[in-house]
Amino acid sequence: MDNICDTAPLEVSSTSGFPYLIEASQEADGYAWFEASAPDLLRLLRNTGALLFRGFPLHSAEDFRRVVGAIAPQLRGYAGGTSPRSQVAEGVYTSTEYPQHLEIPLHNEMSYSCQWPELLFFFCATAPAINGETPIADSRAILKRMPPGIVEEFARRQLMYVRNLASAESRYNSWTKAFETTDKTKVEAYCRDMDIGYAWQANGGLRIEEIRPALQTHPVTGERVWFNQVHLWHASNTPMASSVTAHIEAGLPMAAYYGDGGRISNDTLAAVRQVLQAEKRLFRWQQGDLLMVDNVLAAHGRMPFDGPRKILVAMS
């Protein structure tokens, strides 16, 4: 960190912790600081998993987009994503439009896909007054704490993620919203490119299946991590968890199975959630905060909230 502070146009202090906090003590050109510090910040991120920048001159979506561009010039879209969100600038989205009274469990972004974002950037445009934290957890620590039997079976059998997307005319969960297009041929080409099984339904909907690993190895550090969304997709994450039959499960908007199609027990998912809860870490958002997350090394979520809250996200 010393070389970051020595070369930066801002006076900066840093502390340990998770997320690792970096504070600016004076108003200056934040873009220049991030541009000069980008290589060191990326190296630090590989060690910590998440960096929280506080006190930097970030006031708008445009400020956020500019600073993120200094670290990650190429941002990606959200085609094929599952969370309801809107694009507010090129490469910048609302973090989620999921109902505010519900918690979004910890997860690694798009871990159900064969291509996921490497880096995530969250910007606090409007700090929540009551709750609304973005919890994070170290994916390395999650794997170490997970019961060995679950790890072995998930690694051996992999996972199957299933989505039943509604017709193009639907206001909720439509395939046009999910894939950001109304062109079926583009959806089919995307599915082929991304190794997604798909079948158009008689009601105009689309059923897709993706078989993915439950664990990943970080491409830079070589560390093995827990990397999946099985607890979020599984039928036990619905209000009808205790009474879901195989027939009902097959028709849910989202479902998760072992990669060979076998059903995963509710008890297994309860053990998974217990580990995630134990590793969850919270911090209070402040206006202008920027959170940078290595998507493989750290999972994230969202706590319920009351009142205004606006968190923006960009992915690379």
Side-chain angles (χ1 to χ4, degrees), residues 185-221:
T185 61
K186 290 183 178 179
V187 172
E188 292 171 355
Y190 179 90
C191 289
R192 288 191 295 269
D193 290 344
M194 301 293 282
D195 192 25
I196 300 172
Y198 67 92
W200 296 103
Q201 305 298 293
N203 63 2
L206 175 67
R207 181 180 174 87
I208 59 176
E209 298 179 355
E210 304 179 62
I211 299 176
R212 309 297 182 205
L215 312 178
Q216 284 292 344
T217 299
H218 193 279
V220 176
T221 70

CSV table of all heavy atoms in Angstrom, one decimal, residues 185-221:
chain,number,residue,atom,x,y,z
A,185,THR,N,-33.7,-15.7,-32.3
A,185,THR,CA,-32.5,-16.2,-32.8
A,185,THR,C,-31.3,-15.8,-32.1
A,185,THR,O,-30.3,-16.6,-31.9
A,185,THR,CB,-32.4,-15.9,-34.3
A,185,THR,OG1,-32.3,-14.4,-34.4
A,185,THR,CG2,-33.6,-16.4,-35.1
A,186,LYS,N,-31.3,-14.6,-31.6
A,186,LYS,CA,-30.2,-14.1,-30.7
A,186,LYS,C,-30.1,-14.8,-29.4
A,186,LYS,O,-29.0,-15.1,-28.9
A,186,LYS,CB,-30.3,-12.6,-30.5
A,186,LYS,CG,-30.0,-11.7,-31.7
A,186,LYS,CD,-30.1,-10.3,-31.4
A,186,LYS,CE,-29.8,-9.4,-32.7
A,186,LYS,NZ,-29.9,-8.0,-32.4
A,187,VAL,N,-31.3,-15.1,-28.8
A,187,VAL,CA,-31.3,-15.9,-27.6
A,187,VAL,C,-30.8,-17.3,-27.8
A,187,VAL,O,-29.9,-17.8,-27.0
A,187,VAL,CB,-32.8,-16.0,-27.0
A,187,VAL,CG1,-32.8,-16.9,-25.9
A,187,VAL,CG2,-33.3,-14.6,-26.7
A,188,GLU,N,-31.2,-17.9,-28.9
A,188,GLU,CA,-30.7,-19.3,-29.2
A,188,GLU,C,-29.2,-19.3,-29.4
A,188,GLU,O,-28.5,-20.2,-29.0
A,188,GLU,CB,-31.4,-19.8,-30.4
A,188,GLU,CG,-32.9,-20.0,-30.1
A,188,GLU,CD,-33.7,-20.4,-31.4
A,188,GLU,OE1,-33.1,-20.3,-32.5
A,188,GLU,OE2,-34.9,-20.7,-31.3
A,189,ALA,N,-28.7,-18.3,-30.1
A,189,ALA,CA,-27.2,-18.2,-30.4
A,189,ALA,C,-26.5,-18.0,-29.1
A,189,ALA,O,-25.4,-18.6,-28.9
A,189,ALA,CB,-26.9,-17.1,-31.4
A,190,TYR,N,-27.0,-17.1,-28.2
A,190,TYR,CA,-26.4,-16.9,-26.9
A,190,TYR,C,-26.3,-18.2,-26.1
A,190,TYR,O,-25.3,-18.6,-25.5
A,190,TYR,CB,-27.2,-15.8,-26.1
A,190,TYR,CG,-26.6,-15.5,-24.8
A,190,TYR,CD1,-25.7,-14.5,-24.6
A,190,TYR,CD2,-27.1,-16.2,-23.6
A,190,TYR,CE1,-25.2,-14.2,-23.3
A,190,TYR,CE2,-26.6,-16.0,-22.4
A,190,TYR,CZ,-25.6,-15.0,-22.2
A,190,TYR,OH,-25.1,-14.7,-21.0
A,191,CYS,N,-27.4,-18.9,-26.1
A,191,CYS,CA,-27.5,-20.2,-25.3
A,191,CYS,C,-26.5,-21.2,-25.9
A,191,CYS,O,-25.8,-21.9,-25.1
A,191,CYS,CB,-28.9,-20.8,-25.4
A,191,CYS,SG,-30.1,-19.9,-24.4
A,192,ARG,N,-26.3,-21.3,-27.2
A,192,ARG,CA,-25.4,-22.2,-27.8
A,192,ARG,C,-23.9,-21.8,-27.4
A,192,ARG,O,-23.1,-22.6,-27.0
A,192,ARG,CB,-25.5,-22.3,-29.3
A,192,ARG,CG,-26.8,-23.0,-29.8
A,192,ARG,CD,-26.7,-23.2,-31.3
A,192,ARG,NE,-26.7,-22.0,-32.0
A,192,ARG,CZ,-27.8,-21.4,-32.5
A,192,ARG,NH1,-29.0,-22.0,-32.2
A,192,ARG,NH2,-27.8,-20.3,-33.2
A,193,ASP,N,-23.7,-20.5,-27.5
A,193,ASP,CA,-22.3,-20.0,-27.1
A,193,ASP,C,-22.0,-20.2,-25.7
A,193,ASP,O,-20.8,-20.4,-25.3
A,193,ASP,CB,-22.2,-18.5,-27.5
A,193,ASP,CG,-22.2,-18.2,-29.0
A,193,ASP,OD1,-22.0,-19.2,-29.7
A,193,ASP,OD2,-22.4,-17.1,-29.3
A,194,MET,N,-23.0,-20.1,-24.8
A,194,MET,CA,-22.8,-20.2,-23.4
A,194,MET,C,-23.1,-21.6,-22.8
A,194,MET,O,-23.1,-21.8,-21.6
A,194,MET,CB,-23.6,-19.2,-22.7
A,194,MET,CG,-23.4,-17.7,-23.1
A,194,MET,SD,-21.8,-17.1,-22.6
A,194,MET,CE,-22.1,-16.8,-20.9
A,195,ASP,N,-23.2,-22.6,-23.7
A,195,ASP,CA,-23.5,-24.0,-23.2
A,195,ASP,C,-24.7,-24.1,-22.3
A,195,ASP,O,-24.6,-24.7,-21.2
A,195,ASP,CB,-22.2,-24.5,-22.5
A,195,ASP,CG,-22.3,-26.0,-22.3
A,195,ASP,OD1,-23.0,-26.7,-23.1
A,195,ASP,OD2,-21.7,-26.5,-21.3
A,196,ILE,N,-25.8,-23.5,-22.8
A,196,ILE,CA,-27.1,-23.5,-22.1
A,196,ILE,C,-28.1,-24.3,-22.8
A,196,ILE,O,-28.3,-24.1,-24.0
A,196,ILE,CB,-27.6,-22.1,-21.9
A,196,ILE,CG1,-26.6,-21.2,-21.1
A,196,ILE,CG2,-29.0,-22.1,-21.2
A,196,ILE,CD1,-27.0,-19.7,-21.1
A,197,GLY,N,-28.6,-25.3,-22.2
A,197,GLY,CA,-29.7,-26.1,-22.8
A,197,GLY,C,-31.0,-25.3,-22.8
A,197,GLY,O,-31.3,-24.6,-21.8
A,198,TYR,N,-31.7,-25.2,-23.9
A,198,TYR,CA,-33.0,-24.4,-24.0
A,198,TYR,C,-34.1,-25.1,-24.7
A,198,TYR,O,-33.8,-26.0,-25.6
A,198,TYR,CB,-32.6,-23.1,-24.6
A,198,TYR,CG,-32.3,-23.1,-26.1
A,198,TYR,CD1,-33.3,-23.0,-27.1
A,198,TYR,CD2,-31.0,-23.4,-26.5
A,198,TYR,CE1,-33.0,-23.1,-28.4
A,198,TYR,CE2,-30.7,-23.4,-27.9
A,198,TYR,CZ,-31.7,-23.3,-28.8
A,198,TYR,OH,-31.3,-23.4,-30.1
A,199,ALA,N,-35.3,-24.8,-24.3
A,199,ALA,CA,-36.5,-25.3,-25.0
A,199,ALA,C,-37.6,-24.3,-24.9
A,199,ALA,O,-38.0,-23.8,-23.8
A,199,ALA,CB,-36.9,-26.6,-24.4
A,200,TRP,N,-38.1,-23.9,-26.1
A,200,TRP,CA,-39.3,-22.9,-26.1
A,200,TRP,C,-40.5,-23.7,-25.7
A,200,TRP,O,-40.7,-24.8,-26.1
A,200,TRP,CB,-39.4,-22.3,-27.5
A,200,TRP,CG,-38.3,-21.5,-27.9
A,200,TRP,CD1,-37.3,-21.8,-28.8
A,200,TRP,CD2,-38.0,-20.2,-27.5
A,200,TRP,NE1,-36.4,-20.8,-28.9
A,200,TRP,CE2,-36.8,-19.7,-28.1
A,200,TRP,CE3,-38.6,-19.3,-26.6
A,200,TRP,CZ2,-36.2,-18.5,-27.9
A,200,TRP,CZ3,-38.1,-18.0,-26.4
A,200,TRP,CH2,-36.9,-17.6,-27.0
A,201,GLN,N,-41.4,-23.0,-24.9
A,201,GLN,CA,-42.5,-23.7,-24.4
A,201,GLN,C,-43.8,-23.3,-25.1
A,201,GLN,O,-43.8,-22.2,-25.8
A,201,GLN,CB,-42.7,-23.3,-22.9
A,201,GLN,CG,-41.5,-23.6,-22.0
A,201,GLN,CD,-41.1,-25.1,-22.0
A,201,GLN,OE1,-41.9,-25.8,-21.4
A,201,GLN,NE2,-40.0,-25.4,-22.6
A,202,ALA,N,-44.8,-24.1,-25.0
A,202,ALA,CA,-46.1,-23.9,-25.8
A,202,ALA,C,-46.7,-22.5,-25.4
A,202,ALA,O,-47.4,-21.9,-26.2
A,202,ALA,CB,-47.0,-25.0,-25.6
A,203,ASN,N,-46.5,-22.1,-24.1
A,203,ASN,CA,-47.1,-20.8,-23.7
A,203,ASN,C,-46.3,-19.6,-24.0
A,203,ASN,O,-46.6,-18.5,-23.6
A,203,ASN,CB,-47.3,-20.9,-22.1
A,203,ASN,CG,-46.0,-21.0,-21.4
A,203,ASN,OD1,-44.9,-21.0,-22.0
A,203,ASN,ND2,-46.1,-21.1,-20.1
A,204,GLY,N,-45.2,-19.8,-24.8
A,204,GLY,CA,-44.4,-18.7,-25.3
A,204,GLY,C,-43.2,-18.4,-24.4
A,204,GLY,O,-42.4,-17.5,-24.6
A,205,GLY,N,-43.1,-19.2,-23.3
A,205,GLY,CA,-42.0,-19.1,-22.4
A,205,GLY,C,-40.7,-19.8,-22.9
A,205,GLY,O,-40.7,-20.4,-23.9
A,206,LEU,N,-39.7,-19.8,-22.0
A,206,LEU,CA,-38.4,-20.5,-22.4
A,206,LEU,C,-37.9,-21.2,-21.1
A,206,LEU,O,-37.8,-20.5,-20.1
A,206,LEU,CB,-37.4,-19.4,-22.9
A,206,LEU,CG,-36.0,-19.9,-23.2
A,206,LEU,CD1,-36.0,-20.9,-24.4
A,206,LEU,CD2,-35.1,-18.7,-23.5
A,207,ARG,N,-37.6,-22.4,-21.3
A,207,ARG,CA,-36.9,-23.2,-20.2
A,207,ARG,C,-35.4,-23.4,-20.5
A,207,ARG,O,-35.1,-23.8,-21.7
A,207,ARG,CB,-37.6,-24.5,-20.0
A,207,ARG,CG,-37.0,-25.4,-18.9
A,207,ARG,CD,-37.7,-26.7,-18.7
A,207,ARG,NE,-37.1,-27.6,-17.8
A,207,ARG,CZ,-37.4,-27.6,-16.5
A,207,ARG,NH1,-38.3,-26.7,-16.0
A,207,ARG,NH2,-36.8,-28.4,-15.6
A,208,ILE,N,-34.6,-23.0,-19.6
A,208,ILE,CA,-33.1,-23.1,-19.8
A,208,ILE,C,-32.5,-23.9,-18.7
A,208,ILE,O,-32.9,-23.8,-17.5
A,208,ILE,CB,-32.4,-21.8,-20.0
A,208,ILE,CG1,-32.6,-20.9,-18.8
A,208,ILE,CG2,-32.9,-21.1,-21.3
A,208,ILE,CD1,-31.9,-19.6,-18.9
A,209,GLU,N,-31.4,-24.7,-19.0
A,209,GLU,CA,-30.7,-25.4,-18.0
A,209,GLU,C,-29.2,-25.2,-18.2
A,209,GLU,O,-28.7,-25.2,-19.3
A,209,GLU,CB,-31.0,-26.9,-18.2
A,209,GLU,CG,-32.5,-27.3,-18.0
A,209,GLU,CD,-32.7,-28.8,-18.2
A,209,GLU,OE1,-31.8,-29.5,-18.6
A,209,GLU,OE2,-33.9,-29.2,-17.9
A,210,GLU,N,-28.5,-25.0,-17.1
A,210,GLU,CA,-27.1,-24.8,-17.1
A,210,GLU,C,-26.4,-25.7,-16.1
A,210,GLU,O,-26.7,-25.7,-14.9
A,210,GLU,CB,-26.7,-23.4,-16.8
A,210,GLU,CG,-27.4,-22.4,-17.8
A,210,GLU,CD,-27.1,-20.9,-17.5
A,210,GLU,OE1,-25.9,-20.6,-17.5
A,210,GLU,OE2,-28.0,-20.2,-17.1
A,211,ILE,N,-25.5,-26.6,-16.5
A,211,ILE,CA,-24.8,-27.5,-15.6
A,211,ILE,C,-23.4,-26.8,-15.4
A,211,ILE,O,-22.6,-26.6,-16.3
A,211,ILE,CB,-24.6,-28.9,-16.2
A,211,ILE,CG1,-26.0,-29.5,-16.4
A,211,ILE,CG2,-23.8,-29.8,-15.3
A,211,ILE,CD1,-26.0,-30.8,-17.1
A,212,ARG,N,-23.1,-26.5,-14.1
A,212,ARG,CA,-21.9,-25.8,-13.8
A,212,ARG,C,-21.2,-26.4,-12.5
A,212,ARG,O,-21.8,-27.1,-11.7
A,212,ARG,CB,-22.2,-24.3,-13.4
A,212,ARG,CG,-23.0,-23.6,-14.5
A,212,ARG,CD,-22.3,-23.5,-15.8
A,212,ARG,NE,-23.2,-22.8,-16.8
A,212,ARG,CZ,-23.1,-22.9,-18.1
A,212,ARG,NH1,-22.2,-23.8,-18.6
A,212,ARG,NH2,-23.8,-22.2,-18.9
A,213,PRO,N,-19.9,-26.2,-12.4
A,213,PRO,CA,-19.2,-26.6,-11.2
A,213,PRO,C,-19.7,-25.9,-10.0
A,213,PRO,O,-20.2,-24.7,-10.0
A,213,PRO,CB,-17.7,-26.2,-11.5
A,213,PRO,CG,-17.7,-26.0,-12.9
A,213,PRO,CD,-19.0,-25.5,-13.3
A,214,ALA,N,-19.6,-26.5,-8.8
A,214,ALA,CA,-20.0,-25.9,-7.5
A,214,ALA,C,-18.8,-25.2,-6.9
A,214,ALA,O,-18.9,-24.3,-6.0
A,214,ALA,CB,-20.5,-26.9,-6.6
A,215,LEU,N,-17.6,-25.5,-7.4
A,215,LEU,CA,-16.3,-24.9,-6.9
A,215,LEU,C,-15.6,-24.3,-8.0
A,215,LEU,O,-15.7,-24.7,-9.2
A,215,LEU,CB,-15.5,-25.9,-6.1
A,215,LEU,CG,-16.1,-26.8,-5.1
A,215,LEU,CD1,-15.1,-27.8,-4.6
A,215,LEU,CD2,-16.7,-26.0,-4.0
A,216,GLN,N,-14.7,-23.3,-7.7
A,216,GLN,CA,-13.9,-22.7,-8.8
A,216,GLN,C,-12.5,-22.5,-8.2
A,216,GLN,O,-12.3,-22.4,-7.0
A,216,GLN,CB,-14.4,-21.4,-9.3
A,216,GLN,CG,-15.6,-21.5,-10.2
A,216,GLN,CD,-15.3,-22.1,-11.5
A,216,GLN,OE1,-14.1,-22.2,-11.9
A,216,GLN,NE2,-16.3,-22.6,-12.3
A,217,THR,N,-11.5,-22.4,-9.1
A,217,THR,CA,-10.1,-22.0,-8.8
A,217,THR,C,-9.9,-20.6,-9.3
A,217,THR,O,-10.1,-20.4,-10.5
A,217,THR,CB,-9.1,-23.0,-9.4
A,217,THR,OG1,-9.4,-24.3,-8.9
A,217,THR,CG2,-7.7,-22.6,-9.0
A,218,HIS,N,-9.4,-19.7,-8.4
A,218,HIS,CA,-9.2,-18.4,-8.8
A,218,HIS,C,-8.1,-18.3,-9.9
A,218,HIS,O,-7.0,-18.9,-9.8
A,218,HIS,CB,-8.7,-17.5,-7.7
A,218,HIS,CG,-8.8,-16.0,-8.0
A,218,HIS,ND1,-7.8,-15.4,-8.7
A,218,HIS,CD2,-9.7,-15.1,-7.7
A,218,HIS,CE1,-8.1,-14.1,-8.8
A,218,HIS,NE2,-9.3,-13.9,-8.2
A,219,PRO,N,-8.3,-17.7,-11.0
A,219,PRO,CA,-7.4,-17.7,-12.2
A,219,PRO,C,-6.1,-17.1,-11.9
A,219,PRO,O,-5.1,-17.3,-12.6
A,219,PRO,CB,-8.2,-16.9,-13.3
A,219,PRO,CG,-9.1,-16.1,-12.6
A,219,PRO,CD,-9.5,-16.8,-11.3
A,220,VAL,N,-6.0,-16.2,-10.9
A,220,VAL,CA,-4.7,-15.5,-10.6
A,220,VAL,C,-4.0,-16.1,-9.4
A,220,VAL,O,-2.8,-16.5,-9.4
A,220,VAL,CB,-4.9,-14.0,-10.4
A,220,VAL,CG1,-3.6,-13.3,-10.0
A,220,VAL,CG2,-5.5,-13.4,-11.6
A,221,THR,N,-4.8,-16.3,-8.3
A,221,THR,CA,-4.2,-16.7,-7.0
A,221,THR,C,-4.1,-18.3,-6.9
A,221,THR,O,-3.3,-18.8,-6.1
A,221,THR,CB,-5.0,-16.2,-5.8
A,221,THR,OG1,-6.2,-16.9,-5.7
A,221,THR,CG2,-5.2,-14.7,-5.9
